[in-house]
Amino acid sequence: MCYYVTGHMTGHIVSIIEFSGKRMPKSRITIRDVAARAGVSHQTVSRVINASERVSPDTRLRVEQAIRDLGYAPNAIARYMAKGSTRTFACIAPNLTDFTFASIIDGAEMKARQNGYFLMSASASDVDIFKNLIVQLVDSRRTEGLMVINPYIDDRHLHLPPQVPIVFLGACAHSGRFNSVFLDEEEGGRLAVQHLLDLNHKRIAHITGPRREDCTLNRKAGYLSALLQAEVEPDPDLIVEGDWSATSGYRAVKQLINQGQRFTGLFAQNDRMAVGAIKALRESGLSVPEDVAVVGFDDMPLASYFDPSLTTIRQDMLSLGKAAALLLLNAVKDPDSPGVQQKMPVELVIRSSTAPNRQEEENPD
Amino acid sequence: MCYYVTGHMTGHIVSIIEFSGKRMPKSRITIRDVAARAGVSHQTVSRVINASERVSPDTRLRVEQAIRDLGYAPNAIARYMAKGSTRTFACIAPNLTDFTFASIIDGAEMKARQNGYFLMSASASDVDIFKNLIVQLVDSRRTEGLMVINPYIDDRHLHLPPQVPIVFLGACAHSGRFNSVFLDEEEGGRLAVQHLLDLNHKRIAHITGPRREDCTLNRKAGYLSALLQAEVEPDPDLIVEGDWSATSGYRAVKQLINQGQRFTGLFAQNDRMAVGAIKALRESGLSVPEDVAVVGFDDMPLASYFDPSLTTIRQDMLSLGKAAALLLLNAVKDPDSPGVQQKMPVELVIRSSTAPNRQEEENPD
DNA sequence: ATGAAAGCGCTAACAT
DNA sequence: ATGTTAGCGCTTTCAT
């Protein structure tokens, strides 16, 4: 039951309703109010709410009662101002909508909260925004630790502040000053290509991410390493650079086909490009996996619902986020602890884009 | 170039690197340090950093120089402690990974930041976590405003605090105390079904979301309204409840088919269920759109890359988030302002799941 | 076991 | 135009 008056189709402000049931008078119940009511000093109240040592069971009860009576809740700002700690971490990502980023943030937020920390997340599409965020978040001491997702997509890693512990996500830190949590990208590439080799493919095309990103290089290293090990000569003409978008995967395949390249296997560095590639292959009259077997990377949501369902490399982004939060928590506890580089495992998920008629093992959603 | 030592396959901590380039000595440069160096009172420094009124150009320069020399940055906590304002909003969603939620958060964060506010986001999978978050965020005055995504998925809307302005996202507030920003769900349902009717379908199946959610009811109202207007008698047997997951869409269709229901059109209340439904249809030997035309809802990422590409209802979640942030900003400025209910437009996107051989208008990624 | 005093870093309200 | 005095709501000494 909605009280708004209509105005549909055009969208936008529809109606304004009764008075806003005026909010409470900025409830300013402080530790002193509680103290007064309990007939103790404000300090005793402080001791009680800090679950601290020596308070007589009797007064503790009285104070607790007063707290309940007054509906008192400690002011976190004042508290952390006195302590000099905000119990807040921040996470900066290129955007918040990419599901891998979102999963990382979700995981990190959970783990942080379990430990009494909050997480502010912000998106920085370019370096200027990033620099600005650093000032707002770190220089002004709003946060005690920083998570940076994809620090190497541009020069942002050159603008990191010295005051707080930092953890990189999705890339191994090039300097020991920082912590990092990242996937075993190379192993992922290797698993993907090994799988294609096992299916007897020799000419395996490769669509990479943007050249400058670490992750691109590492996945490609895995690709090369698998070929090498199988004694298959890599063909540079089969490697095309994309930009992670489905469209770029589509274009990459069109390009390969226009160039007359022959290949029966294809490894795309993410699922979106793989999906775009499959579309282009079909448009060219090639069927997947019969003519070309395709492997992606990410195991994105609904990867098993594409046609054909996607063989891909699976990772646990939630764990990545949790691990990052944990590193930050440790670094806050022990500021002189060394940077830790933590590599997370990946896993091959075989579906129909490489294995026709294979019984799907599950349909994650 | 990573300095870590190997340890691949198994994952987890890989190596520990050189000393952490010890962080700066908790730089505690305050307004008074600056004042001393500039030879003025701390209050004058405060005036300068607040870009405020009367400071002589001369002293202003001196102060600014001192700030630069010392690398001073104002402490946001202290500042907001003195002012009683944290310049922070919070957003609570069922999870952070759903792309619609993530888009809302991204949009809200941008708009908030443009206006000097930060956004903490947190996921609350159940009511207990939600209640706990309210205490941590609102009662302890960490935040000045609250965004709640999907407040009606459970009883969480009954636990909203009175101290701060609140905006609901994805559902119209049942009470005027709250603001809300929501889609024109009913219009979406109508557009979807009208489209199917226009294609001459009469027997149109409907897969809904969970019964208790507002959004489910509203989309269904649109379905019914379109049928009614076309003088097609709704058949309750064609309506099946899902849970938004692709699997539930799959099951819904299996159920309809097992019951021997006949239908040539299908409207699923979100794209994931639509995708699941299509899979089930195909397994039953029915082709889409020839035997059954399918419409989804959301225009999720890669919706145009499924096979067939998905006809669906598009919305602008980023704008939804921005609008919500704006409402909060207004409410903070003017605490006695009434609750605003803002309805956002939706749009039909026609692709091949209803229109065979249609030239795709674009391939969003 | 409890209280009093000082201060976290800043801003607001009065001085001058 | 600039300085002085009080806090914001809490925690941390240090007394008692």
Side-chain angles (χ1 to χ4, degrees):
Chain A
M1 228 49 50
C2 255
Y3 299 7
Y4 59 86
V5 194
T6 181
H8 64 260
M9 297 259 19
T10 50
H12 297 126
I13 295 196
V14 170
S15 84
I16 283 182
I17 307 188
E18 63 174 276
F19 246 26
S20 65
K22 48 197 81 212
R23 271 168 251 111
M24 283 186 55
K26 286 287 170 194
S27 95
R28 294 251 146 275
I29 296 159
T30 78
I31 203 175
R32 285 168 217 272
D33 300 326
V34 177
R37 175 160 188 127
V40 296
S41 84
H42 68 122
Q43 178 48 261
T44 302
V45 178
S46 172
R47 286 194 181 97
V48 171
I49 63 181
N50 285 291
S52 95
E53 347 86 84
R54 291 133 317 183
V55 192
S56 82
D58 178 48
T59 48
R60 153 159 285 132
L61 250 62
R62 282 219 317 292
V63 170
E64 283 170 346
Q65 186 56 51
I67 289 179
R68 248 171 283 123
D69 292 349
L70 265 34
Y72 166 80
N75 180 324
I77 305 298
R79 196 169 217 173
Y80 299 145
M81 155 99 167
K83 289 187 128 118
S85 146
T86 60
R87 308 228 107 199
T88 301
F89 293 141
C91 178
I92 306 182
N95 66 67
L96 268 31
T97 52
D98 183 293
F99 92 92
T100 54
F101 303 164
S103 308
I104 289 173
I105 292 172
D106 209 355
E109 195 272 328
M110 290 180 206
K111 181 58 82 178
R113 182 140 44 92
Q114 273 174 24
N115 290 272
Y117 274 72
F118 275 87
L119 184 68
M120 320 189 89
S121 40
S123 58
S125 47
D126 63 51
V127 181
D128 286 332
I129 297 181
F130 185 85
K131 277 155 64 177
N132 195 32
L133 274 172
I134 295 297
V135 174
Q136 300 297 314
L137 289 168
V138 181
D139 296 353
S140 60
R141 270 146 281 178
R142 243 184 256 260
T143 172
E144 291 178 56
L146 191 61
M147 302 175 29
V148 183
I149 298 182
N150 284 12
Y152 294 116
I153 47 163
D154 51 25
D155 289 340
R156 60 185 63 192
H157 59 98
L158 301 176
H159 301 278
L160 293 167
Q163 302 96 317
V164 297
I166 294 179
V167 47
F168 286 1
L169 277 150
C172 179
H174 298 191
S175 144
R177 227 199 87 206
F178 308 112
N179 303 278
S180 47
V181 186
F182 51 98
L183 295 177
D184 195 343
E185 312 278 8
E186 187 169 340
E187 177 68 8
R190 202 155 29 221
L191 286 172
V193 175
Q194 188 57 54
H195 172 57
L196 289 169
L197 289 164
D198 289 346
L199 295 170
N200 263 322
H201 298 286
K202 300 284 182 217
R203 294 199 50 82
I204 300 175
H206 187 33
I207 308 177
T208 74
R211 202 174 306 122
R212 64 173 317 166
E213 295 188 37
D214 275 33
C215 151
T216 298
L217 299 176
N218 294 332
R219 290 178 192 183
K220 183 170 165 185
Y223 165 84
L224 294 172
S225 142
L227 290 183
L228 197 69
Q229 202 190 326
E231 296 181 343
V232 174
E233 180 70 21
D235 179 349
D237 292 340
L238 289 181
I239 303 181
V240 188
E241 181 178 347
D243 63 8
W244 305 124
S245 73
T247 312
S248 76
Y250 179 88
R251 278 204 221 97
V253 164
K254 288 286 185 188
Q255 181 187 321
L256 287 170
I257 289 176
N258 287 341
Q259 289 174 354
Q261 304 291 346
R262 296 171 308 99
F263 54 96
T264 61
L266 170 67
F267 168 41
Q269 285 195 357
N270 77 351
D271 286 347
R272 275 149 66 207
M273 297 194 294
V275 160
I278 288 172
K279 179 169 182 145
L281 288 169
R282 290 202 165 160
E283 284 185 14
S284 305
L286 296 167
S287 65
V288 178
E290 291 76 7
D291 298 317
V292 180
V294 176
V295 183
F297 202 116
D298 278 351
D299 196 24
M300 66 181 179
L302 300 188
S304 69
Y305 279 91
F306 282 88
D307 183 37
S309 61
L310 235 51
T311 293
T312 188
I313 301 296
R314 180 185 294 171
Q315 54 211 223
D316 183 354
M317 286 304 187
L318 224 62
S319 296
L320 221 76
K322 288 182 184 172
L326 223 40
L327 288 183
L328 240 33
L329 287 162
N330 287 335
V332 164
K333 254 185 240 143
D334 175 11
D336 286 323
S337 62
V340 170
Q341 318 306 123
Q342 188 168 346
K343 198 194 284 192
M344 306 292 279
V346 296
E347 178 189 0
L348 174 69
V349 181
I350 300 174
R351 298 202 186 92
S352 348
S353 67
T354 56
N357 310 323
R358 184 187 176 87
Q359 186 54 48
E360 303 284 325
E361 91 278 38
E362 34 66 276
N363 292 318
D365 183 358
Chain B
M1 229 51 52
C2 253
Y3 299 8
Y4 59 86
V5 194
T6 182
H8 64 262
M9 296 259 18
T10 50
H12 297 125
I13 295 197
V14 170
S15 84
I16 284 183
I17 307 187
E18 64 175 273
F19 245 28
S20 66
K22 49 196 80 206
R23 272 167 250 111
M24 284 186 50
K26 287 287 170 196
S27 97
R28 293 253 146 272
I29 295 159
T30 78
I31 205 175
R32 286 170 215 270
D33 300 326
V34 176
R37 174 160 189 126
V40 296
S41 85
H42 69 118
Q43 179 48 254
T44 303
V45 178
S46 171
R47 285 192 182 101
V48 170
I49 62 180
N50 284 292
S52 94
E53 346 91 82
R54 295 136 310 186
V55 191
S56 83
D58 178 50
T59 48
R60 154 158 285 135
L61 249 64
R62 283 218 317 291
V63 170
E64 283 170 348
Q65 187 55 51
I67 288 178
R68 248 171 282 122
D69 292 349
L70 265 34
Y72 166 80
N75 181 324
I77 304 299
R79 196 171 219 172
Y80 300 142
M81 156 98 167
K83 288 188 129 117
S85 144
T86 60
R87 307 228 107 200
T88 301
F89 292 142
C91 177
I92 306 182
N95 65 68
L96 268 30
T97 52
D98 183 295
F99 91 94
T100 54
F101 303 164
S103 307
I104 290 173
I105 292 173
D106 208 356
E109 194 273 326
M110 290 181 207
K111 180 59 83 183
R113 181 140 45 93
Q114 271 173 26
N115 290 273
Y117 273 72
F118 275 87
L119 184 68
M120 319 188 92
S121 39
S123 57
S125 47
D126 64 52
V127 181
D128 285 332
I129 297 182
F130 186 85
K131 278 156 66 177
N132 196 32
L133 274 171
I134 294 297
V135 174
Q136 300 296 314
L137 289 168
V138 181
D139 295 353
S140 60
R141 269 145 284 179
R142 243 183 257 259
T143 174
E144 292 178 54
L146 192 60
M147 302 175 30
V148 183
I149 298 182
N150 284 12
Y152 294 115
I153 47 163
D154 50 26
D155 289 339
R156 59 184 64 192
H157 59 98
L158 301 177
H159 302 279
L160 294 167
Q163 302 98 317
V164 296
I166 293 178
V167 46
F168 286 1
L169 276 149
C172 180
H174 298 191
S175 144
R177 226 199 86 206
F178 308 113
N179 302 278
S180 47
V181 186
F182 51 98
L183 295 177
D184 196 343
E185 312 278 7
E186 186 168 342
E187 177 67 8
R190 202 154 31 219
L191 285 172
V193 174
Q194 188 57 54
H195 173 59
L196 289 170
L197 290 164
D198 290 345
L199 294 170
N200 264 322
H201 297 286
K202 301 284 183 223
R203 293 200 48 84
I204 300 176
H206 187 33
I207 307 177
T208 73
R211 202 175 304 124
R212 63 175 313 167
E213 294 189 39
D214 274 34
C215 153
T216 297
L217 299 176
N218 294 330
R219 291 178 191 183
K220 182 170 167 185
Y223 164 85
L224 294 173
S225 141
L227 290 183
L228 198 70
Q229 202 191 323
E231 296 180 343
V232 173
E233 181 69 22
D235 179 350
D237 291 339
L238 289 181
I239 304 180
V240 187
E241 181 178 348
D243 64 7
W244 305 123
S245 74
T247 312
S248 75
Y250 178 89
R251 276 202 223 101
V253 164
K254 288 287 186 191
Q255 179 187 325
L256 287 170
I257 289 175
N258 286 341
Q259 291 174 353
Q261 304 290 345
R262 295 171 310 97
F263 54 96
T264 62
L266 169 67
F267 168 40
Q269 286 195 356
N270 76 351
D271 286 348
R272 277 149 64 206
M273 295 194 296
V275 160
I278 289 173
K279 179 171 183 143
L281 289 168
R282 290 201 164 161
E283 285 185 14
S284 306
L286 296 166
S287 64
V288 179
E290 291 76 7
D291 298 317
V292 179
V294 176
V295 183
F297 204 116
D298 279 351
D299 197 22
M300 67 180 178
L302 299 186
S304 68
Y305 279 91
F306 282 87
D307 184 37
S309 63
L310 234 53
T311 292
T312 187
I313 301 296
R314 181 187 292 171
Q315 54 210 226
D316 183 355
M317 285 306 189
L318 223 61
S319 296
L320 220 77
K322 289 181 184 172
L326 223 41
L327 288 182
L328 240 32
L329 287 162
N330 288 335
V332 165
K333 254 186 239 141
D334 176 10
D336 287 323
S337 63
V340 170
Q341 318 304 124
Q342 188 169 345
K343 199 194 283 192
M344 306 292 279
V346 295
E347 176 190 1
L348 174 70
V349 181
I350 301 175
R351 298 204 186 91
S352 342
S353 67
T354 56
N357 311 322
R358 183 187 177 87
Q359 186 54 45
E360 303 284 325
E361 89 280 37
E362 34 65 282
N363 292 317
D365 185 357

